[in-house]
Amino acid sequence: MLQQCLKIFRFSFAANTPSLATPWSLRPFKTEVSLPIIRFHDAQPTGQSIALDQEIFNQPIRRDLVQRLVRYTDLYDKKVTKATLALRDAAASGAKNHPQKKTGRARQGHRQRPGRNKGIKAHGRKIRSLRIDLPRKVRLQAYKVGLTAALIEGKFTVIDTEKLNEGKTKHLVQLMKGFESFTQPLLIVTSVDPDDLFLRASRNLENLETCTVREFNIIKILKFKSILITKEAIIQLTESLKQRKLTLLGDNKIVKKKYSEYPIEEYDPNKPLDLKFKVLREYLEDFEKLKKEGQLDKFIQDMPKTKKVGRINTINHH
Amino acid sequence: MFQTLQKLRVMCFMFATTAERKVPPTPSNMPFTLNNLWDNPGARKIQKRWGRSGTRGNACGRGQRGQGARSGAGVPPKFEGGQTPLTRRLPKWGAKPSLEIYREVNICQIVDRIKQGRIDATQPIQIKDMLESRIFSKCKYGVKLLARGAERLSELNTPLTIEVSDASKTAIEAIKKAGGEVKVVYFTPLLLRQHLFPDKYPLELRPALPPSRAVEAIQRTEERGAVADYIKPKWVIEDEIEKKKLEEMAKLEVDTLKVQLQGAETVETAKKEKKKKKQKQQEEKQVSTLDLTNFKYPASREPGCGKDKIKQRKPVVYKKLSLNLD
């Protein structure tokens, strides 16, 4: 109870001006931020605006958490792919060079020991992955901090839709000139089902990148200086981050049913059969045709009678 | 430029005192880009590695030559150089208790979850409900009910019915006072798993017959006041039939009892008379064959010997310390 009171007491205050230099105990924004929605074709504002959630876009700024997340995502896909040869890989036999005793030479076991010419490297590089661990709650919080920092710097602009009438790059280039930032690299964030024509038009351009909400990570937030987001993408982002928090707290349960509770379809002779495979459907059609015409019995009599062959491709062990 | 600044910061931090290190980092106004990120001072430390300067150079802390200096060096911890080790010199003894123990659940844990709305108090509370409300996360063998927080049952309005595999006396009394009931159920580990995860068992399993040791444990809880529901073996049924007969005998009329008792009495008196006769004959024989030449009277008994010993406590004398103050 005490700790909950202290939390509310701590986070109720906010900074006077939103800046990146706020201490850890304050939030940068005092009230809810609402961004205006801009039309994609004209680059002019419509009368609508969208409100951004405070628990995602108004978190206290922690630069150290963001550094840890960036290091985590950088090393997620990295591996050491080259390896040195070990004793089992090197091209040499495992025989002893000369017997242990009765020769005047030093005792040696294998030909390619590390100190010798043409010898292997001891404790060399191995194939391994460079991934590191980071707690899931830290990853979530750092992602939210990155979004607030981008808001303070003014990177975001909201778009209603990204749909195009024609899939031509010429039209897209003209549209982008209205946003005044086309010389610098630009990012467009879309919902989970983007438009095909838009993807076709945007594929060949250098300074433009597109991604969906699932691929929108911290490195892209920090790399690009201007980001366009659609209205649906913001809604999907907030819902996915809320669900991530609920799974961490354990409140998001999926209830499984018993096998006996699933409905079992009983056989109705009046209903037509729904078969999955095409071959079986063709057999069914032939059967029904013959039944209508009354030639079933003839078909069965005319079928070639086969002998009992037994197993095919047997090896005679006798 | 920034890397040199960061190195300077790290150097100053290394030479700082502990009081200076506890100061939290100051926030800065630099933009959030990929080249302007750093972690808090003291978060990362340079690793000490073998073979690089100081105590870890040259021989790397292993000494000179010998078995301990080789790669893959060392002997197992029980090895004593060839002498028979202690684990083989001493004999084996004893037995260990079983690891299949019941999980302990208190009444206050159930009351808390009913108030939060996670458990339904109108229906009987089973082990499955306790697991879904997360009183515990794993249960393999069963649940025992204990009575911590039994006074808080008065805060609830409804009486409880709980199904467990064992319960203590005070817990059963507390639940009965509020008007509820405690029921004892027998589960094997497989049957418990079916009870907790029913969608993994499309075919229902048969209930089990408990062994004799488990039946005795269930009977002990029945004596404390619980209700039992389990498959009973033959010897339990026969014992119950005998118990019923004795109860019926007690309810019968009193005349028949007297007749039985009288008959028993006569049989007992006849046996006693026979015994007395035998004793008398033996005593007469002993008396006739006594030798009184070397007869001596026993030693005189004084008060304070043997059973009549007078026991006295030693007087308590406190020590006196001489502090040499005079």
Side-chain angles (χ1 to χ4, degrees):
Chain A
M1 185 64 185
L2 224 192
Q3 285 176 2
Q4 286 174 6
C5 286
L6 282 173
K7 265 191 196 174
I8 293 161
F9 187 74
R10 228 190 316 156
F11 286 109
S12 62
F13 295 110
N16 286 323
T17 55
S19 71
L20 291 170
T22 51
W24 290 3
S25 59
L26 300 180
R27 298 197 183 206
F29 293 108
K30 268 190 177 175
T31 56
E32 258 193 3
V33 178
S34 63
L35 291 177
I37 299 174
I38 292 169
R39 221 176 293 141
F40 194 39
H41 301 286
D42 297 344
Q44 275 169 14
T46 59
Q48 293 167 356
S49 66
I50 188 165
L52 301 174
D53 199 353
Q54 269 206 332
E55 290 198 2
I56 291 166
F57 286 95
N58 193 8
Q59 291 290 322
I61 287 168
R62 297 269 316 253
R63 201 176 282 254
D64 52 342
L65 296 185
V66 172
Q67 190 265 346
R68 289 180 216 169
L69 222 199
V70 164
R71 189 171 167 244
Y72 173 83
T73 50
D74 252 345
L75 297 175
Y76 192 79
D77 295 326
K78 282 193 175 169
K79 302 169 210 168
V80 176
T81 52
K82 292 183 187 175
T84 58
L85 295 177
L87 264 180
R88 54 179 156 179
D89 304 326
S93 70
K96 216 167 150 61
N97 294 345
H98 48 79
Q100 181 87 350
K101 296 176 87 68
K102 303 285 179 81
T103 56
R105 302 181 63 181
R107 45 193 178 179
Q108 287 179 25
H110 39 263
R111 198 174 295 169
Q112 290 192 340
R113 58 185 166 83
R116 203 179 179 229
N117 189 22
K118 298 181 187 175
I120 55 150
K121 186 167 172 64
H123 304 301
R125 267 187 304 187
K126 294 176 199 171
I127 294 170
R128 63 198 166 106
S129 75
L130 297 172
R131 267 189 207 180
I132 56 172
D133 292 332
L134 198 65
R136 288 185 284 166
K137 291 181 184 176
V138 169
R139 284 186 238 158
L140 226 192
Q141 187 65 25
Y143 192 68
K144 292 176 184 175
V145 167
L147 289 170
T148 53
L151 230 192
I152 290 165
E153 293 176 350
K155 285 184 184 177
F156 291 136
T157 55
V158 185
I159 294 171
D160 50 355
T161 54
E162 86 280 3
K163 281 185 184 174
L164 294 176
N165 293 323
E166 291 176 347
K168 288 277 184 184
T169 52
K170 271 194 273 184
H171 295 293
L172 236 191
V173 170
Q174 282 176 6
L175 289 176
M176 290 288 108
K177 283 179 185 173
F179 285 100
E180 290 184 1
S181 58
F182 193 49
T183 52
Q184 290 171 349
L186 196 145
L187 215 200
I188 296 179
V189 183
T190 64
S191 61
V192 176
D193 296 329
D195 195 15
D196 286 337
L197 296 172
F198 172 74
L199 288 175
R200 214 189 288 170
S202 64
R203 211 173 284 156
N204 203 13
L205 292 165
E206 275 184 25
N207 285 334
L208 199 140
E209 252 195 57
T210 61
C211 79
T212 57
V213 169
R214 300 277 168 172
E215 299 151 12
F216 189 46
N217 59 7
I218 190 87
I219 288 174
K220 289 182 182 172
I221 292 170
L222 301 177
K223 188 175 156 191
F224 293 96
K225 291 188 183 174
S226 57
I227 299 172
L228 308 182
I229 310 181
T230 58
K231 190 185 165 188
E232 288 179 7
I234 288 175
I235 294 164
Q236 285 174 3
L237 227 187
T238 50
E239 281 183 12
S240 68
L241 290 177
K242 274 184 197 173
Q243 250 191 352
R244 261 171 85 178
K245 196 179 180 186
L246 289 175
T247 52
L248 288 174
L249 294 174
D251 283 339
N252 199 17
K253 257 194 233 178
I254 297 165
V255 179
K256 282 187 190 173
K257 281 199 237 174
K258 234 179 170 177
Y259 280 125
S260 56
E261 286 178 14
Y262 283 106
I264 297 166
E265 294 177 0
E266 290 178 1
Y267 175 61
D268 277 336
N270 299 322
K271 258 188 175 178
L273 279 174
D274 288 330
L275 296 170
K276 193 177 171 185
F277 296 105
K278 198 180 173 185
V279 176
L280 295 174
R281 275 183 243 155
E282 289 171 2
Y283 278 126
L284 232 189
E285 285 173 5
D286 295 339
F287 177 75
E288 284 173 356
K289 251 195 216 174
L290 291 170
K291 212 178 177 182
K292 269 189 195 174
E293 297 164 7
Q295 292 178 0
L296 244 186
D297 297 333
K298 212 182 179 184
F299 185 77
I300 290 164
Q301 284 175 4
D302 293 340
M303 264 162 64
K305 291 181 186 175
T306 55
K307 273 195 220 173
K308 278 193 180 177
V309 175
R311 275 191 288 170
I312 301 165
N313 294 330
T314 52
I315 298 166
N316 207 343
H317 289 285
H318 296 296
Chain B
M1 165 70 173
F2 182 75
Q3 285 173 2
T4 51
L5 280 174
Q6 204 176 5
K7 277 182 193 172
L8 270 176
R9 195 192 283 123
V10 169
M11 297 280 280
C12 297
F13 186 78
M14 278 160 67
F15 291 113
T17 58
T18 50
E20 291 168 0
R21 258 177 233 181
K22 280 178 187 173
V23 173
T26 52
S28 74
N29 217 348
M30 302 191 82
F32 257 70
T33 53
L34 287 170
N35 60 342
N36 275 326
L37 299 173
W38 59 87
D39 209 344
N40 295 325
R44 299 248 159 75
K45 225 174 154 183
I46 291 166
Q47 194 188 3
K48 285 186 181 176
R49 289 190 294 157
W50 300 111
R52 272 112 179 111
S53 83
T55 55
R56 303 201 176 203
N58 200 7
C60 305
R62 284 187 181 224
Q64 304 292 334
R65 286 186 176 186
Q67 197 178 359
R70 312 296 175 190
S71 77
V75 293
K78 299 174 191 171
F79 192 65
E80 294 180 15
Q83 180 180 271
T84 47
L86 201 139
T87 51
R88 286 188 69 183
R89 266 183 266 153
L90 304 174
K92 295 200 269 188
W93 72 91
K96 304 286 186 286
S98 71
L99 297 168
E100 300 182 356
I101 49 175
Y102 291 154
R103 205 157 272 271
E104 296 166 353
V105 168
N106 287 304
I107 291 174
C108 63
Q109 287 172 335
I110 295 171
V111 167
D112 278 336
R113 299 238 179 355
I114 289 168
K115 284 188 175 180
Q116 288 169 4
R118 289 208 240 176
I119 292 179
D120 199 0
T122 55
Q123 286 175 354
I125 297 169
Q126 293 174 336
I127 299 174
K128 194 180 170 186
D129 301 333
M130 290 188 214
L131 189 136
E132 286 181 357
S133 63
R134 295 287 159 192
I135 294 173
F136 43 79
S137 62
K138 281 183 199 175
C139 184
K140 268 178 134 177
Y141 304 108
V143 165
K144 182 165 180 175
L145 187 72
L146 302 177
R148 180 167 276 187
E151 303 136 357
R152 293 175 57 186
L153 275 173
S154 57
E155 298 168 9
L156 300 173
N157 295 325
T158 57
L160 302 174
T161 56
I162 304 178
E163 297 183 6
V164 283
S165 32
D166 203 355
S168 69
K169 197 177 171 186
T170 46
I172 292 167
E173 283 173 3
I175 286 172
K176 273 190 171 177
K177 224 189 196 181
E181 201 184 41
V182 173
K183 201 174 169 190
V184 176
V185 182
Y186 178 69
F187 276 123
T188 55
L190 223 198
L191 288 172
L192 223 196
R193 201 178 145 79
Q194 191 204 14
H195 175 69
L196 296 174
F197 310 108
D199 41 323
K200 297 189 177 183
Y201 294 91
L203 302 174
E204 285 194 19
L205 301 168
R206 293 182 289 180
L209 193 142
S212 57
R213 212 174 271 184
V215 169
E216 287 165 8
I218 290 170
Q219 281 172 350
R220 271 178 256 147
T221 52
E222 269 185 300
E223 290 166 12
R224 290 173 205 153
V227 174
D229 181 16
Y230 64 105
I231 297 170
K232 298 180 183 175
K234 270 187 198 173
W235 56 273
V236 170
I237 294 166
E238 289 168 5
D239 285 344
E240 285 183 355
I241 289 166
E242 283 184 12
K243 269 190 191 174
K244 279 188 187 173
K245 277 188 188 174
L246 288 172
E247 286 172 4
E248 286 171 4
M249 300 272 274
K251 287 179 191 170
L252 287 173
E253 295 171 354
V254 182
D255 295 332
T256 52
L257 269 175
K258 272 189 184 173
V259 165
Q260 286 174 4
L261 286 169
Q262 281 170 5
E265 278 178 358
T266 51
V267 167
E268 284 177 5
T269 49
K271 282 183 186 175
K272 280 183 188 174
E273 286 168 359
K274 277 189 189 175
K275 274 187 188 176
K276 282 182 187 174
K277 279 187 191 174
K278 278 189 186 176
Q279 281 176 0
K280 280 183 187 174
Q281 289 172 1
Q282 285 174 2
E283 283 171 3
E284 286 167 0
K285 279 185 191 175
Q286 286 175 2
V287 166
S288 62
T289 57
L290 273 173
D291 288 334
L292 294 169
T293 52
N294 292 324
F295 183 73
K296 286 179 189 173
Y297 282 102
S300 62
R301 274 197 138 209
E302 289 173 1
C305 298
K307 280 187 193 175
D308 302 333
K309 185 178 177 182
I310 297 161
K311 293 181 182 175
Q312 268 183 357
R313 263 183 176 264
K314 281 188 191 173
V316 177
V317 175
Y318 291 103
K319 276 189 188 175
K320 282 187 182 174
L321 300 171
S322 62
L323 296 169
N324 295 329
L325 289 170
D326 301 332

